Amino acid sequence: MERAFRYRLVMFGFSAMCEDMDEVRLRLRGYPPNRAKSEAGDQCYLVDLQQGVQYAIVLRNDRFEVDENACKQL
């Protein structure tokens, strides 16, 4: 059976397909916060493949999070 991916997570040039927001959050926990200091933050974003919307990924309280207020229609 084929998996249905809803999101495409891009972090520092690497892409991962995710089924749901829980999987996105789980993957975001795997990135060390100090990486944001050494690499460009514009390389981090989430694409909702169903809605055609791109969200910024931001560092808050030493954790990467999806910023639902920073989005743009694709």
Side-chain angles (χ1 to χ4, degrees):
M1 183 174 208
E2 202 171 306
R3 293 175 67 181
F5 295 110
R6 169 137 188 206
Y7 299 101
R8 179 176 175 235
L9 175 64
V10 179
M11 294 293 289
F12 308 109
F14 295 96
S15 177
M17 301 301 284
C18 301
E19 291 182 359
D20 54 33
M21 193 56 76
D22 288 337
E23 185 177 357
V24 169
R25 289 185 190 103
L26 181 67
R27 288 178 177 271
L28 287 175
R29 283 191 289 234
Y31 291 96
N34 62 346
R35 188 151 182 194
K37 297 171 187 162
S38 62
E39 299 192 41
D42 63 343
Q43 297 178 23
C44 302
Y45 56 90
L46 178 70
V47 177
D48 184 327
L49 300 171
Q50 289 181 355
Q51 302 295 321
V53 177
Q54 179 177 310
Y55 299 94
I57 302 293
V58 296
L59 188 62
R60 286 192 188 116
N61 301 321
D62 287 331
R63 292 180 32 187
F64 287 103
E65 297 179 0
V66 177
D67 186 349
E68 295 185 21
N69 296 316
C71 65
K72 66 179 179 179
Q73 194 71 36
L74 298 176

